[in-house]
Amino acid sequence: MRTYYLAILILLGCLFCTAQRVDKTKVPDWVNPIPFIHEEASKNQGGYQYLLLDFQDNLPRQNVYRHYAIKVLNTKGIQEMSDIDVTYDPSYQKLEFHQIRLVRNGTIIDRLGESTINVFQRETQMERSLYDGSFTAVINLWDVREGDIIEYAFSIKGFNPINKGNYSTTLYQEYTSPVNRIYNRIITNKTNKIWYKLLEGASEPTVTKTHKRTEYIWDLDGSQNKLYDSNVPPWFDIQKRVSISTMEDWGKVVDWAKGLYTYPTDNLSVAKELMIEDEPLDERIVQLIRFVQDEIRYLGFESGIGAYKPNIPSKVYRQRYGDCKDKSLLLVSLLRKEGVSSFPLLVNTQLRDGIRNLLPSHNIFDHCIVYFNFEGKDFYVDPTISDQGGNLENLSFPNYGTGLLVKSNEDGLITISKGKKSGITINERIRIDSIQGSATLSIETEYTGGKADYIRSYFNNTPMETIEKEYINYYSNLYPQIAFSSGIKLNDGLRNSYNSVYVEEYYEINEFWSKSEEGILYCETYPLVLESLINYPVSAKRNMPYHLGEPHSFSQKTTIELPENWPVNATEKTIEGTGFKYTNSIKGFGSSLSVAHTYDLDTDTLPADQVALFQEKNDEIKNSLSYYLTYDSQNAGFKLSWVSILLLVLAVISGFYFSLKIFREYNPKPQGNGPEKPIGGWLILPAIGLLLSPILILVQVVSEDQFNEHIWSAFYNLQEGQSLNLVFLYGAEQFYNYLLITFSVLLIILFFKKRTSLPILITIYYTLAFLVPLIDLILVEQLVPGQLGEAETMASYKEIARSFITAAIWIPYFNISQRVKDTFCRTYENSKVSVVIQNSEA
């Protein structure tokens, strides 16, 4: 047995050594020798200049030949070009080097014979949990000098057997750097017929046919390079190029893929394992999606055939990991078992709709997702996205644009419908304790759609200590003295329905105010999140489209509660253009003000002719983000309002006149049945309330600073179109308060005079005490909706509730109680008679 295991180890070692071996051989006999063109390099070409790109592919022999010549211009070029590295897959490919040499001042220096070829298994996509099994051969050139020409050539033998003889590629005739000569050659035969498509004005090939083979040759000057503007979409490609494929239509690609995506009758009992068999079908679908997304780890071994052929679903289910193909096929199988029509869908995450410009090809796709139909509606799911939320109607989905269904009789690409826009809604509340004092900051943020998926994943995969540190560092850019008052709270209760995530934050900010050089105090509010969303790179005059990112919606409302009433100039602003709209509104009422921002992005790409205007308006938006509160102690303070004085005089005169008239002339008949009773029992309580009423109203008038002219100015400037209404309402409130003082004094006199008018008049008093604040609150909300601070709103609600309870108790009592009728039984004439009798007896 020991000998058996030893033999296995030796065999594996030999196979590994064979895979690592890279041979040094002569140039294959089928290759056309192509010399490089040595011309003086253009100025400002960086560290090196490509003299030759020579690419020759022999389809019948399954062999590709690559030949490069590069001139080193400076030390940077030496650093970048002195290492030659070639990647290949040893499971089906063999690498051979044919030539490595330096050309120095016309002298050829061979480097192939004396070079050591080191082979490493370097997984370039390991950070994405993808292992392709590829090897990289590296040759370190020595004694490379400025002005040298590095020339090397190699071949890679073997095509992936999963291709089943199919071939496709894209040959570029322009690059982003100048190339003196670009030579492309493809050799094929009758069994490997190819189609080609010229893109962006690419040149036709020279075609040579014999009875055995056909050659396509492009021999071009590539010195005219293409430069791209900054921030172009990933699918944008304006280089001259040729799309080549052995597949004449998309139906051929589907036929090829159908052989890979098979559905064995595995007895997968996932629904039973998840205990969802009795749930409605739409909920079972969502649970199965979550299972594949979250419980099947994203991990792929994609060497050779594994780069295209998925593992069978039962294997993926058992091992609990797989790449996009594996996870997609597993989910399709699970959905089919539930009776849902479902198929794999191939996409290209970078080219998106751009694949429509290329010829049908089996290797044009870089990702696999899932399509299914439920109740007549099409749905798309990316099973590699973890921590996703939402029911079927609220599944977020990236904009992949175009895809190919792996489905019988499918012969064309389909358009993938776009998902709902993601969104961020922020409600921020700042409570300032005093001028020059500190403040508290509370933030509730709602994330929806793809933003919710991202923040959910962020919280699930990041330690809370790290999250809190990142949050506090983020806000410290605006508030250096900020600190947590309590921890961050995440509410994900709507994950399986609407797909929204709520994050709550609570902070304390010491030294909230700053002081300018002129001694003026100020504080600032600023939408940091919005700034990050619209922080687009600056672009000069351009002729290429501009990438904006995924469409989204954003809104933020910051409510500031101040320690005193604050004059606010109400403003509204709208800035909009192609694909976006921004609004800004500032409103205030009393000691509360709000600053609101909204931003809606409806497109991911702008045409070139719209970019200059977009950036101009984007700068205008950035200049609208900051809002400052300033406090000038020299100009702040009290300024007597003559309007308030006039209202007070009018209220006192009219109140005294009507009070005197009521006192003398309003004398309802007595309702008592027996002798007059003294004030006592439950009547003591309303007596105390009446005595306190004028005092409380006076305190309210003083505390609200109603005689300050600044308050009137604040209401006048509060909101455009409503300023006169607000001023009128504020004046009516003042006039009512002053009248209420005289009315309450009248009621006190009538109460202790035991007048028959008291029960009806006090009923009116309690009714007014309830109705007037209620009507006032309704009118304020109509004129300036949402502008009352939370504290003011709660205080209004409490006052209305207290007035309602008081009215509900005492109005019936004063109108029904016999004690009230026997106590308040005097009229104005009776009171005079009583006074006369008392004087005569004396």
Side-chain angles (χ1 to χ4, degrees):
M1 183 64 70
R2 182 177 301 174
T3 304
Y4 172 77
Y5 284 123
L6 181 61
I8 293 294
L9 290 174
I10 293 173
L11 177 61
L12 291 174
C14 291
L15 290 174
F16 182 75
C17 291
T18 302
Q20 278 192 313
R21 191 179 74 241
V22 177
D23 294 333
K24 302 175 182 179
T25 64
K26 293 182 180 180
V27 175
D29 56 5
W30 60 269
V31 171
N32 286 345
I34 304 298
F36 61 81
I37 298 175
H38 186 195
E39 297 176 349
E40 288 299 323
S42 304
K43 294 182 179 180
N44 303 319
Q45 288 304 312
Y48 52 88
Q49 167 84 34
Y50 278 101
L51 304 181
L52 174 67
L53 295 179
D54 174 13
F55 300 159
Q56 303 184 44
D57 294 2
N58 190 320
L59 274 58
R61 295 193 183 188
Q62 296 192 4
N63 198 337
V64 299
Y65 171 79
R66 300 290 181 261
H67 177 204
Y68 298 86
I70 306 163
K71 184 172 184 177
V72 177
L73 303 179
N74 52 39
T75 56
K76 183 180 179 182
I78 295 174
Q79 180 68 34
E80 293 189 29
M81 290 297 165
S82 292
D83 292 334
I84 300 171
D85 59 88
V86 180
T87 300
Y88 65 102
D89 190 330
S91 64
Y92 64 89
Q93 291 179 327
K94 180 175 176 56
L95 173 63
E96 296 179 352
F97 273 95
H98 310 305
Q99 182 186 80
I100 302 176
R101 62 186 187 180
L102 301 178
V103 180
R104 181 177 298 159
N105 299 323
T107 302
I108 297 176
I109 305 172
D110 181 71
R111 285 284 190 261
L112 179 61
E114 58 190 21
S115 294
T116 301
I117 304 176
N118 299 301
V119 179
F120 306 97
Q121 187 170 4
R122 185 176 63 181
E123 297 292 351
T124 58
Q125 299 189 79
M126 186 168 62
E127 71 280 358
R128 297 178 55 214
S129 299
L130 293 176
Y131 302 86
D132 58 16
S134 62
F135 282 14
T136 301
V138 180
I139 298 175
N140 304 110
L141 298 179
W142 55 279
D143 189 26
V144 178
R145 304 179 187 178
E146 185 176 322
D148 285 354
I149 296 173
I150 302 172
E151 184 180 12
Y152 63 95
F154 61 88
S155 292
I156 298 178
K157 296 181 178 181
F159 290 173
N160 195 329
I162 202 69
N163 294 341
K164 297 181 180 180
N166 292 301
Y167 169 88
S168 67
T169 189
T170 299
L171 302 178
Y172 277 84
Q173 298 179 1
E174 285 179 325
Y175 290 88
T176 55
S177 296
V179 182
N180 288 13
R181 185 178 188 183
I182 300 174
Y183 184 86
N184 288 301
R185 177 174 175 240
I186 295 177
I187 302 173
T188 185
N189 55 24
K190 293 181 180 179
T191 60
N192 289 282
K193 183 179 180 181
I194 67 169
W195 283 262
Y196 66 86
K197 182 179 180 181
L198 305 178
L199 302 171
E200 301 295 334
S203 300
E204 290 276 359
T206 299
V207 182
T208 304
K209 293 183 179 181
T210 67
H211 68 285
K212 289 185 177 181
R213 67 185 189 182
T214 302
E215 291 188 16
Y216 299 82
I217 297 176
W218 291 267
D219 192 356
L220 303 167
D221 175 8
S223 58
Q224 298 300 315
N225 60 310
K226 286 288 186 183
L227 295 179
Y228 284 85
D229 293 334
S230 63
N231 202 47
V232 297
W235 48 261
F236 185 71
D237 191 342
I238 57 169
Q239 293 165 251
K240 293 179 181 179
R241 62 198 188 280
V242 184
S243 175
I244 297 174
S245 177
T246 58
M247 294 179 168
E248 58 182 319
D249 57 50
W250 291 108
K252 300 294 184 186
V253 182
V254 172
D255 292 339
W256 168 83
K258 280 168 52 185
L260 307 178
Y261 291 82
T262 57
Y263 308 93
T265 56
D266 296 325
N267 187 24
L268 296 177
S269 57
V270 175
K272 184 177 180 180
E273 176 186 324
L274 298 177
M275 296 183 292
I276 59 174
E277 294 174 297
D278 298 328
E279 293 186 9
L281 181 56
D282 60 332
E283 295 183 15
R284 293 204 304 274
I285 293 173
V286 172
Q287 291 300 319
L288 292 173
I289 292 172
R290 297 283 183 272
F291 172 78
V292 176
Q293 287 180 326
D294 297 340
E295 301 300 326
I296 305 299
R297 181 164 53 104
Y298 183 61
L299 177 66
F301 295 97
E302 301 193 333
S303 61
I305 294 176
Y308 296 95
K309 183 176 178 58
N311 290 293
I312 61 174
S314 58
K315 179 181 179 181
V316 178
Y317 174 70
R318 287 193 306 271
Q319 67 190 17
R320 287 296 203 272
Y321 67 77
D323 62 11
C324 64
K325 307 180 301 295
D326 300 329
K327 295 180 66 147
S328 293
L329 187 59
L330 173 60
L331 180 56
V332 168
S333 300
L334 296 177
L335 293 178
R336 288 187 170 194
K337 189 172 182 181
E338 298 299 321
V340 179
S341 176
S342 181
F343 300 93
L345 179 61
L346 305 176
V347 299
N348 189 301
T349 58
Q350 296 297 311
L351 293 179
R352 300 186 179 184
D353 294 326
I355 62 177
R356 294 184 181 275
N357 298 324
L358 304 178
L359 289 178
S361 165
H362 64 294
N363 61 10
I364 199 173
F365 305 102
D366 65 359
H367 194 43
C368 183
I369 58 175
V370 172
Y371 157 86
F372 66 92
N373 185 281
F374 176 69
E375 295 183 346
K377 186 176 181 180
D378 295 335
F379 293 91
Y380 306 92
V381 176
D382 189 336
T384 66
I385 300 176
S386 59
D387 298 307
Q388 200 168 29
N391 54 23
L392 290 183
E393 296 299 325
N394 291 289
L395 285 174
S396 63
F397 185 75
N399 179 21
Y400 292 142
T402 298
L404 181 67
L405 277 175
V406 183
K407 177 184 177 183
S408 296
N409 302 319
E410 197 75 19
D411 59 1
L413 299 170
I414 67 168
T415 298
I416 303 172
S417 58
K418 296 180 180 180
K420 295 181 179 179
K421 282 200 307 183
S422 60
I424 301 175
T425 302
I426 300 175
N427 283 303
E428 190 175 76
R429 186 171 294 275
I430 301 172
R431 294 182 177 89
I432 304 175
D433 62 2
S434 62
I435 304 301
Q436 298 192 56
S438 60
T440 61
L441 169 64
S442 62
I443 304 171
E444 181 184 78
T445 306
E446 179 190 13
Y447 300 89
T448 60
K451 302 290 186 185
D453 296 337
Y454 169 79
I455 206 71
R456 182 184 298 112
S457 179
Y458 171 67
F459 271 80
N460 286 344
N461 296 286
T462 309
M464 182 54 71
E465 183 179 358
T466 301
I467 292 174
E468 291 184 345
K469 185 175 181 180
E470 290 178 353
Y471 268 66
I472 205 74
N473 289 340
Y474 183 72
Y475 287 112
S476 64
N477 293 317
L478 184 60
Y479 306 116
Q481 300 298 320
I482 195 170
F484 279 109
S485 59
S486 63
I488 297 175
K489 299 177 182 178
L490 178 75
N491 183 348
D492 197 15
L494 297 177
R495 177 180 181 182
N496 292 324
S497 55
Y498 183 62
N499 189 24
S500 62
V501 174
Y502 291 87
V503 177
E504 296 180 15
E505 311 157 54
Y506 301 92
Y507 303 93
E508 294 178 347
I509 307 173
N510 293 322
E511 300 179 16
F512 182 72
W513 297 84
S514 300
K515 183 176 288 188
S516 68
E517 295 180 355
E518 294 78 15
I520 297 176
L521 293 173
Y522 68 92
C523 58
E524 180 186 10
T525 176
Y526 190 83
L528 289 169
V529 176
L530 178 56
E531 180 197 39
S532 65
L533 291 175
I534 63 172
N535 192 23
Y536 297 107
V538 176
S539 176
K541 185 178 181 181
R542 58 190 292 141
N543 54 14
M544 298 180 187
Y546 189 82
H547 184 56
L548 298 175
E550 293 295 330
H552 59 266
S553 61
F554 172 89
S555 68
Q556 176 171 331
K557 181 180 179 181
T558 301
T559 302
I560 305 175
E561 296 182 5
L562 293 144
E564 59 185 60
N565 289 327
W566 206 273
V568 176
N569 291 323
T571 61
E572 292 189 2
K573 176 186 289 187
T574 299
I575 304 172
E576 59 185 319
T578 303
F580 78 96
K581 181 179 181 180
Y582 166 80
T583 66
N584 171 290
S585 66
I586 300 168
K587 300 177 182 178
F589 188 82
S591 60
S592 175
L593 66 91
S594 68
V595 182
H597 306 268
T598 68
Y599 187 86
D600 285 288
L601 181 66
D602 296 318
T603 183
D604 58 1
T605 305
L606 274 181
D609 60 356
Q610 295 288 329
V611 175
L613 181 60
F614 170 81
Q615 293 201 320
E616 178 183 333
K617 291 188 174 183
N618 198 59
D619 289 340
E620 186 181 353
I621 293 173
K622 289 182 178 180
N623 294 332
S624 303
L625 298 182
S626 289
Y627 181 75
Y628 291 92
L629 288 173
T630 59
Y631 185 87
D632 188 349
S633 57
Q634 296 179 353
N635 297 323
F638 180 83
K639 183 178 181 181
L640 184 63
S641 169
W642 292 104
V643 176
S644 295
I645 295 296
L646 179 61
L647 288 175
L648 175 61
V649 171
L650 290 175
V652 170
I653 293 174
S654 58
F656 180 78
Y657 171 78
F658 286 108
S659 295
L660 186 60
K661 195 171 183 63
I662 291 170
F663 181 80
R664 291 177 174 176
E665 298 179 7
Y666 184 57
N667 296 286
K669 292 182 180 180
Q671 301 293 319
N673 295 327
E676 178 182 319
K677 291 184 179 181
I679 296 173
W682 290 108
L683 289 173
I684 298 298
L685 295 178
I688 295 173
L690 284 174
L691 289 171
L692 292 176
S693 291
I695 300 173
L696 294 176
I697 298 171
L698 281 172
V699 170
Q700 178 185 348
V701 169
V702 174
S703 63
E704 292 181 355
D705 211 10
Q706 292 187 5
F707 288 95
N708 195 337
E709 186 177 319
H710 295 311
I711 306 300
W712 288 91
S713 299
F715 281 112
Y716 184 78
N717 296 320
L718 183 61
Q719 184 165 330
E720 187 176 354
Q722 298 290 358
S723 57
L724 292 179
N725 293 333
L726 289 168
V727 169
F728 179 80
L729 179 61
Y730 184 61
E733 288 177 0
Q734 283 200 19
F735 192 73
Y736 166 76
N737 285 332
Y738 304 150
L739 281 179
L740 198 60
I741 294 174
T742 59
F743 190 35
S744 61
V745 172
L746 172 64
L747 290 177
I748 293 171
I749 296 172
L750 295 176
F751 188 92
F752 289 102
K753 289 286 187 178
K754 298 183 182 182
R755 293 284 298 274
T756 57
S757 57
L758 188 279
I760 295 176
L761 293 176
I762 204 169
T763 297
I764 296 173
Y765 175 79
Y766 287 136
T767 303
L768 290 174
F770 166 66
L771 287 180
V772 171
L774 178 61
I775 295 171
D776 182 60
L777 181 62
I778 293 172
L779 290 175
V780 169
E781 287 294 338
Q782 289 293 321
L783 294 174
V784 282
Q787 294 308 300
L788 276 179
E790 183 179 356
E792 289 180 276
T793 302
M794 291 304 299
S796 297
Y797 286 148
K798 288 179 180 179
E799 179 187 354
I800 293 169
R802 184 169 56 249
S803 300
F804 175 77
I805 294 171
T806 301
I809 294 173
W810 294 115
I811 288 177
Y813 179 75
F814 274 96
N815 287 276
I816 297 173
S817 172
Q818 190 60 45
R819 174 62 183 262
V820 171
K821 295 175 182 178
D822 292 338
T823 302
F824 301 97
C825 56
R826 298 180 185 178
T827 63
Y828 179 68
E829 295 299 331
N830 290 339
S831 298
K832 290 202 309 181
V833 170
S834 175
V835 172
V836 170
I837 293 172
Q838 290 176 5
N839 289 336
S840 62
E841 289 179 350

